[in-house]
């Protein structure tokens, strides 16, 4: 019963961690996607900026989709076919 709200909360935290990693990489000068994103914004490389943002968005959407599809495993009463 109570695992569905916990799963939703954890997915929200995961996407927040992914967004926060962009900031942390810049603060501590860790080479990664965050540094590449800031460099592409500063140099005006809009294609790379959009590609990185689409990549992070796709990862977020896939993780949300996986959690939504796992609802039937978490709580068997939540079924598309009416529980038959």
């Amino acid at each position: 019963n109570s695992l569905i709200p916990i799963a939703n909360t954890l997915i929200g935290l995961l996407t927040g961690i992914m967004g926060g990693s962009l900031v942390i990489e810049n603060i501590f000068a860790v080479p990664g996607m965050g540094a590449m994103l800031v460099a592409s914004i500063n140099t005006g490389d809009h294609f790379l900026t959009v590609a990185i943002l689409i990549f992070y968005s796709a990862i977020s959407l896939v993780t949300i989709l996986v959690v939504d599809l796992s609802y039937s495993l978490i709580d068997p009463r939540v079924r598309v076919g009416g529980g038959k």
Side-chain angles (χ1 to χ4, degrees), residues 15-78:
T15 55
I17 287 171
M18 285 176 36
S21 70
L22 297 174
V23 176
I24 296 298
E25 287 178 4
N26 290 315
I27 291 173
F28 294 110
V30 176
M33 295 284 280
M36 188 186 308
L37 178 64
V38 170
S40 69
I41 290 171
N42 288 336
T43 59
D45 189 2
H46 300 297
F47 293 114
L48 183 59
T49 304
V50 170
I52 292 172
L53 293 176
I54 288 174
F55 177 72
Y56 272 97
S57 300
I59 289 175
S60 296
L61 288 174
V62 166
T63 55
I64 290 170
L65 177 67
V66 167
V67 168
D68 285 345
L69 293 176
S70 69
Y71 283 167
S72 62
L73 297 174
I74 293 172
D75 190 4
R77 295 176 294 171
V78 182

